Amino acid sequence: MGELGTNRSSIRVGVIGGGQLARMMVPPATHLGLGISVLAEVEGSSAARAADAVGDYRDPETVYAFADTVDVVTFDHEHVPQEILLELERRGKAVHPRPGALQFAQDKILMRQKLEELGVPVPSWAAVADEVELKAFIDAHGGRAVVKTARGGYDGKGVRLVSDASEVRDWFTALAEDARGGHLLAEELVDFTRELSQLVARRPSGETRTWPVVETIQRDGVCAVVLAPAPVADPATLDEAARIGAVVAEGVGVTGVLAVEMFEARDGRVLVNELAMRPHNSGHFSIEGSVTSQFEQHLRAVADLPLGDTSMTAPAAVMVNVLGGPVEGPMPVRYAAALAAHPRAKFHSYDKTPRPGRKVGHVTVTGEDLETVRAAAQAAADEFN
Amino acid sequence: MGELGTNRSSIRVGVIGGGQLARMMVPPATHLGLGISVLAEVEGSSAARAADAVGDYRDPETVYAFADTVDVVTFDHEHVPQEILLELERRGKAVHPRPGALQFAQDKILMRQKLEELGVPVPSWAAVADEVELKAFIDAHGGRAVVKTARGGYDGKGVRLVSDASEVRDWFTALAEDARGGHLLAEELVDFTRELSQLVARRPSGETRTWPVVETIQRDGVCAVVLAPAPVADPATLDEAARIGAVVAEGVGVTGVLAVEMFEARDGRVLVNELAMRPHNSGHFSIEGSVTSQFEQHLRAVADLPLGDTSMTAPAAVMVNVLGGPVEGPMPVRYAAALAAHPRAKFHSYDKTPRPGRKVGHVTVTGEDLETVRAAAQAAADEFN
């Protein structure tokens, strides 16, 4: 028991990582009748319902043993080492996204190089090996730089705005001690008016589907609000964002869902900020807001099944993250009040222990008018603060 | 592992029965962050993903042991004996719907008596103890009667249209051998133009929410198509159907989802045919078609949480059952063709082995125009025949 589709002739998708992204793949897998198994890091993970294995995704034998139980391997995060993924492919296992694509989401310097090669606009950047090189970049870019670790960052972690190279001395020291060596990524500080995200799904065969471009609003480096579709300031900007999404998806050969996070700069440029090759926070609205959600589409794409329609189910959908969460426990401890006050809101709890700033869930509201819907979603999410 | 919300402070709902209704409770439980456990009849059931126990629901100790692991007990079917449910309540366990309400869905003769007591219109009926009594009923009703076993029937099983009392001799013989004794239910054959269903959800506190009245189309006694909302012939008919649904929900004191199946008779009467106290085939459209699905609402109601909005997400939703299914295996064996041809259709596979006439899944399409949507849903379901 505890498995879906055991002994039956369905495709089984294996997800490495037991966070909320794996968790939110369980509903569409259940509806479609696809098998899903999760390799979680710990007991009692967010995706515990589907966690058929617990272990370290950096341990090759753990990953190989898990992969043997499924038909295709995909991910809740980008942290599985390339060596392991390449070996899985050598053994004939389907891995989506493929390691050759995933590397661009794993290493921000490789990503910048690839995006330039594709002719996609990015902030001015350099790979810097030491404080001397970083100081030169800072001096050439108005006395400031955004510095990022090439690997391992997320949700604002591994990102610092600096005006002096010594402010990231600890990172250079860590790189010097790392046998793999490496560089930090230095970028211009972009003066942007807002952030946009383009979600694209792509099958191994090359079929792609895109959702409408959305606006994302960050708080302390963490996605707080997503407006779908992005309000139209200049239609050319949204067209450019959609064009960039398509170029990147094809150019890196992603399979599964790709999120391209972009800045809309004050000078009119649309610049790529980050790539994620998995369902992404900017697409959570699609569970209720789209005919096919990003989670269902990711499963279809990695299983090499035809993709679904990505039209909106309503003119507007707004998602608001619950950050931190109720001090008393997971979101359901507040449901008596929250559900009564917000009967149209769709509540999502990740079953995670609250901690300041931690994403413990989200709320989505759909409707006719974006501002009305946004106010309703924010009010519903505020029930958990 | 294999449990959702383990070690956490969420409500855990226990579902007795491992069929597709239990299965379809898993997605909303996952989203809301409510715990869900299933007592399934067999290994590899439709709801296997959530099946934390396997055993016979007619065995008291099996049910009591399962109930000890959850906060509230509810059902995928109506077949758990009253004695067991009453004992659970005596032991202080929350059971929803409560046995005092559920008895009216378990025994069709009790149901008819209760509906008459509530002043709800029903077909002309009698409880008949033997062939002599049945013959009298047939003679008084134009030479025909619909005869039903009081207990255990579903999907057309336990229902016969007869013109001679000897046609149900086997049922009378079985009753005579049953220590509990009992009667058969004889009913007039209603000349109906169509069938309607009213879904109502009710909390223990009495809060109720209703979905729009739907039209159901049966094939060989099995629900084949559901049109939501029911096309308006005479608005008074739909108002009457809604009124009956509310009277029944309140009158029997149901908790959870109640389906009231009705005939729209050629002479204009609206007559109650059947009651089901659980999510029901006539409400599957609500997964995509309603802001709050019947499965989410059932969980909210039995957990005594505030109910959600039941508005339609689109002007029309049509659900078509997949009956029988592909001979090669469960629905996903046909997904390569079906998903490609029907990108807007939402496919639901119950992960059941195909068998002639068996409900193995369903397809829902939502949109602007009922006839267009119906054609699309039918075409998508036909991919599996």
Side-chain angles (χ1 to χ4, degrees):
Chain A
M1 308 307 292
E3 293 193 13
L4 193 97
T6 316
N7 302 325
R8 302 222 173 84
S9 57
S10 182
I11 297 163
R12 178 163 292 273
V13 177
V15 187
I16 300 184
Q20 64 263 27
L21 302 179
R23 177 187 181 90
M24 288 187 275
M25 292 180 205
V26 172
T30 303
H31 284 307
L32 285 171
L34 302 182
I36 184 166
S37 296
V38 170
L39 172 61
E41 296 77 13
V42 291
E43 298 279 342
S45 68
S46 186
R49 164 62 63 199
D52 294 309
V54 173
D56 186 348
Y57 57 80
R58 294 162 301 191
D59 174 59
E61 294 310 321
T62 298
V63 175
Y64 303 152
F66 174 70
D68 279 343
T69 68
V70 300
D71 300 305
V72 54
V73 171
T74 189
F75 311 97
D76 167 271
H77 58 67
E78 287 105 349
H79 307 317
V80 183
Q82 278 281 320
E83 312 83 77
I84 296 179
L85 301 178
L86 291 168
E87 175 60 22
L88 279 180
E89 288 204 328
R90 269 191 295 270
R91 295 178 179 205
K93 181 62 59 180
V95 177
H96 293 297
R98 299 191 59 184
L102 191 65
Q103 62 177 335
F104 302 117
Q106 293 181 312
D107 186 309
K108 293 188 204 303
I109 293 172
L110 287 182
M111 187 247 287
R112 287 286 178 249
Q113 289 167 340
K114 183 68 178 179
L115 292 174
E116 279 199 344
E117 183 190 317
L118 293 171
V120 169
V122 296
S124 174
W125 68 279
V128 292
D130 54 33
E131 287 183 45
V132 174
E133 290 185 13
L134 177 55
K135 179 174 187 311
F137 186 90
I138 291 170
D139 290 347
H141 289 85
R144 298 189 295 192
V146 177
V147 185
K148 301 177 178 178
T149 56
R151 292 164 168 277
Y154 66 96
D155 278 355
K157 295 177 181 66
V159 179
R160 287 184 197 158
L161 173 61
V162 306
S163 53
D164 191 289
S166 65
E167 293 174 61
V168 292
R169 185 165 296 163
D170 56 328
W171 286 352
F172 281 124
T173 304
L175 281 181
E177 288 165 1
D178 187 331
R180 295 177 302 179
H183 296 71
L184 295 178
L185 174 65
E187 293 187 327
E188 68 168 312
L189 177 67
V190 176
D191 181 20
F192 61 85
T193 52
R194 61 176 178 166
E195 293 184 72
L196 302 171
S197 178
Q198 175 66 61
L199 283 173
V200 187
R202 185 173 176 277
R203 279 176 79 184
S205 64
E207 182 193 3
T208 62
R209 293 262 184 178
T210 60
W211 286 262
V213 178
V214 300
E215 177 174 343
T216 65
I217 298 159
Q218 321 287 321
R219 202 165 295 145
D220 299 328
V222 179
C223 178
V225 178
V226 172
L227 311 179
V232 178
D234 178 357
T237 301
L238 300 188
D239 290 349
E240 171 67 355
R243 185 193 69 80
I244 289 171
V247 167
V248 173
E250 204 56 42
V252 303
V254 75
T255 43
V257 167
L258 165 76
V260 183
E261 296 182 272
M262 291 169 269
F263 297 123
E264 183 176 341
R266 202 171 301 277
D267 59 16
R269 292 178 299 166
V270 176
L271 303 171
V272 173
N273 180 26
E274 298 286 354
L275 301 184
M277 293 187 193
R278 47 170 171 75
H280 186 256
N281 202 158
S282 63
H284 291 355
F285 80 90
S286 65
I287 296 172
E288 295 87 7
S290 304
V291 171
T292 307
S293 79
Q294 66 166 348
F295 297 101
E296 176 177 344
Q297 201 80 297
H298 187 75
L299 292 171
R300 288 182 179 216
V302 303
D304 200 16
L305 289 169
L307 303 180
D309 187 291
T310 51
S311 307
M312 300 277 298
T313 59
V318 174
M319 187 241 40
V320 179
N321 274 336
V322 176
L323 299 172
V327 289
E328 320 91 273
M331 286 171 59
V333 300
R334 297 275 184 88
Y335 275 176
L339 274 57
H342 308 281
R344 282 190 62 89
K346 304 316 293 177
F347 296 90
H348 299 259
S349 169
Y350 306 154
D351 209 11
K352 288 161 74 171
T353 308
R355 224 173 33 216
R358 190 181 200 197
K359 285 180 194 170
V360 299
H362 75 265
V363 180
T364 298
V365 176
T366 59
E368 296 299 311
D369 170 69
L370 191 71
E371 281 312 310
T372 308
V373 162
R374 181 176 179 176
Q378 187 65 57
D382 286 347
E383 296 279 350
F384 302 95
N385 292 335
Chain B
M1 307 307 293
E3 293 194 11
L4 193 97
T6 317
N7 303 325
R8 303 223 174 84
S9 57
S10 182
I11 297 164
R12 177 163 293 273
V13 177
V15 187
I16 300 184
Q20 64 263 29
L21 302 179
R23 178 187 180 90
M24 288 188 274
M25 293 181 204
V26 172
T30 302
H31 284 307
L32 285 171
L34 302 181
I36 185 166
S37 296
V38 170
L39 172 62
E41 297 77 13
V42 292
E43 298 279 343
S45 68
S46 186
R49 163 61 64 199
D52 294 310
V54 174
D56 185 347
Y57 57 81
R58 294 163 300 190
D59 175 58
E61 293 311 320
T62 298
V63 176
Y64 303 152
F66 174 70
D68 279 343
T69 67
V70 300
D71 299 305
V72 54
V73 170
T74 189
F75 312 97
D76 168 269
H77 58 66
E78 288 104 348
H79 308 317
V80 184
Q82 278 281 320
E83 312 82 78
I84 296 180
L85 301 178
L86 291 167
E87 175 62 21
L88 280 180
E89 287 204 329
R90 270 192 294 273
R91 295 177 179 206
K93 181 62 60 180
V95 177
H96 293 297
R98 298 190 61 183
L102 192 64
Q103 63 177 334
F104 302 115
Q106 292 182 312
D107 186 309
K108 294 189 205 302
I109 293 172
L110 287 183
M111 187 246 287
R112 287 284 178 250
Q113 290 168 340
K114 182 69 179 180
L115 292 174
E116 279 200 343
E117 181 191 318
L118 293 171
V120 169
V122 295
S124 175
W125 68 279
V128 291
D130 54 33
E131 289 184 44
V132 175
E133 290 185 12
L134 177 55
K135 180 174 188 309
F137 186 90
I138 291 171
D139 291 347
H141 290 84
R144 298 189 295 193
V146 177
V147 185
K148 300 177 179 177
T149 56
R151 293 165 167 277
Y154 67 98
D155 278 356
K157 296 177 181 67
V159 178
R160 287 183 198 157
L161 173 61
V162 305
S163 52
D164 190 289
S166 66
E167 294 175 60
V168 291
R169 185 165 297 163
D170 55 329
W171 286 351
F172 280 125
T173 305
L175 280 181
E177 287 166 0
D178 187 332
R180 296 177 301 179
H183 295 71
L184 296 178
L185 174 65
E187 294 187 325
E188 67 167 314
L189 178 66
V190 177
D191 181 19
F192 61 87
T193 52
R194 60 174 178 168
E195 293 183 72
L196 302 172
S197 177
Q198 175 66 61
L199 283 173
V200 187
R202 185 173 177 276
R203 279 175 79 184
S205 64
E207 181 192 3
T208 62
R209 295 260 185 181
T210 60
W211 286 262
V213 178
V214 300
E215 178 174 343
T216 65
I217 298 158
Q218 320 287 320
R219 202 166 295 145
D220 299 327
V222 179
C223 178
V225 178
V226 173
L227 311 179
V232 178
D234 177 357
T237 302
L238 299 188
D239 291 348
E240 171 67 356
R243 184 193 70 79
I244 290 171
V247 166
V248 174
E250 203 56 43
V252 303
V254 74
T255 43
V257 167
L258 165 75
V260 183
E261 296 182 89
M262 291 169 270
F263 296 123
E264 183 176 341
R266 203 171 300 278
D267 59 16
R269 293 177 299 165
V270 176
L271 304 170
V272 173
N273 179 27
E274 298 287 354
L275 301 183
M277 294 188 192
R278 48 169 171 76
H280 186 255
N281 202 157
S282 63
H284 292 354
F285 79 90
S286 65
I287 296 173
E288 294 87 8
S290 304
V291 171
T292 306
S293 79
Q294 65 167 347
F295 297 101
E296 177 177 343
Q297 201 80 295
H298 188 75
L299 292 172
R300 288 183 180 215
V302 303
D304 201 14
L305 289 169
L307 303 180
D309 188 290
T310 50
S311 308
M312 301 278 298
T313 59
V318 174
M319 187 241 39
V320 179
N321 274 337
V322 177
L323 300 172
V327 291
E328 320 90 274
M331 287 171 59
V333 301
R334 296 274 184 89
Y335 275 176
L339 275 56
H342 308 280
R344 282 190 61 90
K346 304 316 292 178
F347 296 90
H348 299 258
S349 168
Y350 306 155
D351 210 11
K352 287 160 75 171
T353 307
R355 224 172 32 216
R358 189 181 201 198
K359 286 180 192 169
V360 299
H362 74 266
V363 180
T364 298
V365 176
T366 60
E368 297 298 312
D369 170 67
L370 191 71
E371 281 312 310
T372 309
V373 162
R374 181 176 179 177
Q378 187 65 56
D382 286 346
E383 297 279 350
F384 303 95
N385 293 335

